[in-house]
Amino acid sequence: MNATNKTPVTVIGLGSMGHTLASAFLKAGHPLTVWNRSPEKADDLVAAGATRAATSAEAAAASPLVIVCLVDHAVTRETLASAGKAFADRVLVNLTNSTPDQAREIAAWAGENGVTYVDGGIMATPPLIGGPASFLLYSGDREAFDAHRDALAVLGAPHFMGEDPGAAALYDLALLSGMYGMAAGVAHARAMVTAHAGPARAQEFSQTMLLSWIQAMLSVFAGVDAAKMADESPLDMQAPALVNILEASDAEGVPPVLAAHLLSMMKEIVDAGFTDVLPPVIDDLVGRLG
């Protein structure tokens, strides 16, 4: 160990998220090494006590725990390959957003190169990192996760999702899909009110009625199982409201693409045989959405 009794950490990738992760480790007292293709992005971290590595290989060799947070899977593979054998005997935690298969691909590379691999998903925006609302998902090598749990907890509450390296990515993307679906719904709601009453009214609507409504519905989603929800809010009851949303949106000139979040429910209604509640005008709208 080191004088601070904190695990030395390397962070590779200093975009908005990677820089925030590095800063969190540094503030928590972990000896920190950083590397980024644009070295100037590390200037403030170095001024605060971090060590700037000249290459990704040097960065990987500097610490037993190496965090990678890059823009995408292709850049991650390229960066890992360029470091050669420097990752050997290191615990690599890949926090780059990826698909389950991409995570498994990195895990296979790690196994071939003597690297202990943990995949991860960050469920926070950069300003939330290290705070009570931040949590991260991990999967892969359980022993490595347990050994470094305290260090990883600096970033947010750590949750181990299983030994399949792709598990964290799957749950990460599932959670993001819920968020983006909600964001699409909010954008659609604001667009409808803006078209009708202007942006000032839409802003007031968002901060009062829409926020209150979403919070109420979140508590419903959290507390009711799917079967009970289907009984309490059946598709034949929902169908007319969904149809009316599409018709009113079209009348206000709201772009149909904003209603994409309704497609899955519309499909459920069709599959359940409630086509009698879908008037002909909806065919065109659903067609444009699809």
Side-chain angles (χ1 to χ4, degrees), residues 233-261:
S233 186
L235 288 175
D236 60 347
M237 184 182 80
Q238 296 177 37
L242 292 170
V243 169
N244 290 338
I245 290 171
L246 292 172
E247 287 189 333
S249 299
D250 191 54
E252 295 289 348
V254 174
V257 68
L258 289 177
H261 62 293

Side-chain angles (χ1 to χ4, degrees), residues 31 80 105-106 115 147 154 173 187 199 216 218 229 231 262:
L80 296 178
E105 181 185 335
I106 299 290
V115 182
V154 165
L173 296 177
L218 288 176
M229 186 176 293
D231 289 339
L262 300 176

Side-chain angles (χ1 to χ4, degrees), residues 98-113:
S98 60
T99 68
D101 282 346
Q102 288 170 345
R104 295 179 189 117
E105 181 185 335
I106 299 290
W109 172 89
E112 294 166 0
N113 288 275

Side-chain angles (χ1 to χ4, degrees), residues 262-287:
L262 300 176
L263 278 177
S264 61
M265 295 192 73
M266 295 296 289
K267 183 179 184 303
E268 287 182 19
I269 288 168
V270 172
D271 290 346
F274 297 120
T275 53
D276 57 315
V277 301
L278 302 178
V281 68
I282 299 304
D283 292 341
D284 176 57
L285 292 174
V286 174

Side-chain angles (χ1 to χ4, degrees), residues 87-176:
F87 281 94
D89 301 321
R90 299 291 184 267
V91 173
L92 169 62
V93 178
N94 180 22
L95 295 180
T96 303
N97 186 264
S98 60
T99 68
D101 282 346
Q102 288 170 345
R104 295 179 189 117
E105 181 185 335
I106 299 290
W109 172 89
E112 294 166 0
N113 288 275
V115 182
T116 301
Y117 185 70
V118 176
D119 196 74
I122 304 171
M123 308 317 303
T125 59
L128 297 178
I129 290 295
S134 176
F135 69 96
L136 288 83
L137 311 175
Y138 298 96
S139 60
D141 193 295
R142 179 65 193 247
E143 185 176 344
F145 169 78
D146 287 340
H148 293 289
R149 179 190 288 269
D150 288 347
L152 296 173
V154 165
L155 307 178
H159 298 274
F160 190 75
M161 308 309 296
E163 295 186 354
D164 171 7
L170 176 69
Y171 283 92
D172 177 14
L173 296 177
L175 287 165
L176 288 176

